[in-house]
Amino acid sequence: MFINNFSTCQETHGMTIHNVSPVRGGDSFLFVCNDVTFLYDTGFGYCSEVLYENVRKVLGERPLDYILLTHSHYDHALGSAYLSVMYPEVKIVALSYAAKILEKESARNVMRRLNKDAALTHGITEFNDYIDHLHANMPVEDNDLIMLGSHKVRIVSLPGHTRDTIAYYFEDEKIMLGTETLGMYVADGLVMPSFLVGYQMSLDSIEKVKDYDIDAYFIPHWGLIEGEDVNTFFADSLKGHILGHDTIVNAYKEGKTHEEIFKIFEDLFYTPTVTEVYPFSAFAENTNIQIPMVLREEGLLKLEK
């Protein structure tokens, strides 16, 4: 039911990275450095107690200093609620816009529903709900420079997946902890786009990361890539976004219905790799947002009044 990958760790630039994810799709990675510890996203809420145990097995009595949230979606942020109870001194970093979303009751209600759906896909019907503890106590803005121990970290706003999506760029180490705006590998050379709020916005974000000198890039739901693989991923990301966009637009111009466009998109991107990370309900929800969003952005579909 749950996975424990304590043997799955990587070392780079003086950092040890532990995969402490309780389940695939609710991924969380623990970074342990000489002078600081931090989590990169925290996954679902329903398995956050297991996440805490995984973190404790690595840290022992050492504190968790920071949680770095890439955006406010339930599969990235909800685990932070329970961790904030167990580590009351932890600093939870998120874009200030995301911090406001996390405290909205309407947003929390949506997260509760999606969190419950995710639990059911793993056969879990009962779990503790800590969403009322959800918050970010270290709100940041684009281009802010923060210190994580001795590490200088630049906040990089990369909207497109959501409006509150950010990456974290470690200036001295030249490492970027990335975002879903740039997508995720779903097959060799194929990146699935996830432009939920803007296609052009996502293209602009892909271009923006090219301004940074990046030796290593961490792909959400995937892992660390280094060296020339970084530039390859950015190129594949751009191609994947254009492919996703053109697939939707061309199918619409051919007279395909929404359901037919969905099936074409599914056949292209819902690969066996994706099924390990996204339950079909989550993929469907995202795709059903992407299709009309692209068509509206292209002026092919009128905004609903």
Side-chain angles (χ1 to χ4, degrees):
M1 184 181 301
F2 292 110
I3 60 171
N4 294 289
N5 265 336
F6 303 115
S7 61
T8 303
C9 67
Q10 293 176 278
E11 293 202 18
T12 185
H13 298 75
M15 301 178 180
T16 303
I17 310 168
H18 298 264
N19 182 355
V20 291
S21 313
V23 293
R24 289 301 308 272
D27 301 296
S28 182
F29 296 88
L30 176 63
F31 286 67
V32 180
C33 311
N34 288 335
D35 60 348
V36 69
T37 65
F38 57 90
L39 269 179
Y40 167 53
D41 279 333
T42 60
F44 303 114
Y46 74 87
C47 51
S48 58
E49 292 170 349
V50 179
L51 172 63
Y52 167 70
E53 291 301 325
N54 291 354
V55 171
R56 284 277 294 178
K57 287 179 181 178
V58 176
L59 294 183
E61 296 304 314
R62 190 173 177 182
L64 177 63
D65 299 313
Y66 294 91
I67 293 173
L68 310 182
L69 298 180
T70 57
H71 60 291
S72 58
H73 277 175
Y74 75 109
D75 58 330
H76 291 257
L78 279 191
S80 66
Y82 181 63
L83 291 176
S84 71
V85 175
M86 303 311 292
Y87 293 105
E89 301 302 318
V90 70
K91 300 295 184 185
I92 303 174
V93 186
L95 196 69
S96 59
Y97 183 73
K100 294 176 182 177
I101 292 174
L102 294 178
E103 296 189 358
K104 289 179 63 175
E105 194 58 36
S106 58
R108 289 180 174 184
N109 288 336
V110 172
M111 293 180 197
R112 280 192 170 94
R113 173 177 60 82
L114 295 174
N115 186 53
K116 182 178 179 180
D117 289 346
L120 289 174
T121 64
H122 290 93
I124 298 171
T125 57
E126 295 185 9
F127 53 87
N128 294 315
D129 181 354
Y130 300 99
I131 292 181
D132 287 342
H133 296 279
L134 193 62
H135 71 287
N137 55 11
M138 190 172 170
V140 293
E141 299 293 345
D142 182 35
N143 206 41
D144 279 357
L145 184 66
I146 63 175
M147 297 299 297
L148 303 184
S150 60
H151 303 277
K152 294 185 292 185
V153 181
R154 183 72 60 181
I155 303 301
V156 185
S157 176
L158 296 175
H161 178 60
T162 65
R163 287 183 171 80
D164 60 13
T165 300
I166 57 175
Y168 298 85
Y169 179 65
F170 289 68
E171 294 194 335
D172 293 335
E173 296 84 359
K174 299 180 181 179
I175 297 173
M176 179 174 281
L177 305 186
T179 78
E180 275 193 90
T181 290
L182 271 65
M184 184 190 76
Y185 274 123
V186 297
D188 187 24
L190 179 63
V191 171
M192 180 177 68
S194 191
F195 37 69
L196 301 184
V197 297
Y199 170 65
Q200 185 59 50
M201 197 184 295
S202 296
L203 296 186
D204 293 343
S205 289
I206 294 170
E207 287 301 312
K208 184 175 181 177
V209 297
K210 295 178 182 178
D211 292 336
Y212 291 83
D213 186 7
I214 302 172
D215 288 342
Y217 181 83
F218 210 102
I219 307 173
H221 299 303
W222 183 268
L224 186 73
I225 56 175
E226 299 181 272
E228 189 53 37
D229 288 342
V230 175
N231 291 329
T232 299
F233 174 72
F234 292 159
D236 288 342
S237 173
L238 179 59
K239 288 188 293 185
H241 278 71
I242 294 172
L243 176 61
H245 168 274
D246 290 354
T247 295
I248 294 170
V249 171
N250 291 338
Y252 181 82
K253 288 181 177 179
E254 291 170 3
K256 304 291 186 184
T257 65
H258 178 98
E259 290 73 19
E260 290 171 328
I261 298 172
F262 181 99
K263 187 63 170 64
I264 295 170
F265 201 88
E266 176 191 346
D267 290 344
L268 182 60
F269 289 112
Y270 199 63
T271 67
T273 298
V274 181
T275 64
E276 296 179 8
V277 177
Y278 290 119
F280 185 76
S281 59
F283 172 83
E285 186 153 345
N286 283 355
T287 303
N288 283 326
I289 292 171
Q290 287 176 283
I291 292 171
M293 186 278 297
V294 165
L295 297 177
R296 284 194 296 267
E297 192 167 315
E298 292 300 323
L300 298 171
L301 195 67
K302 293 181 179 180
L303 287 171
E304 294 180 2
K305 293 183 179 180

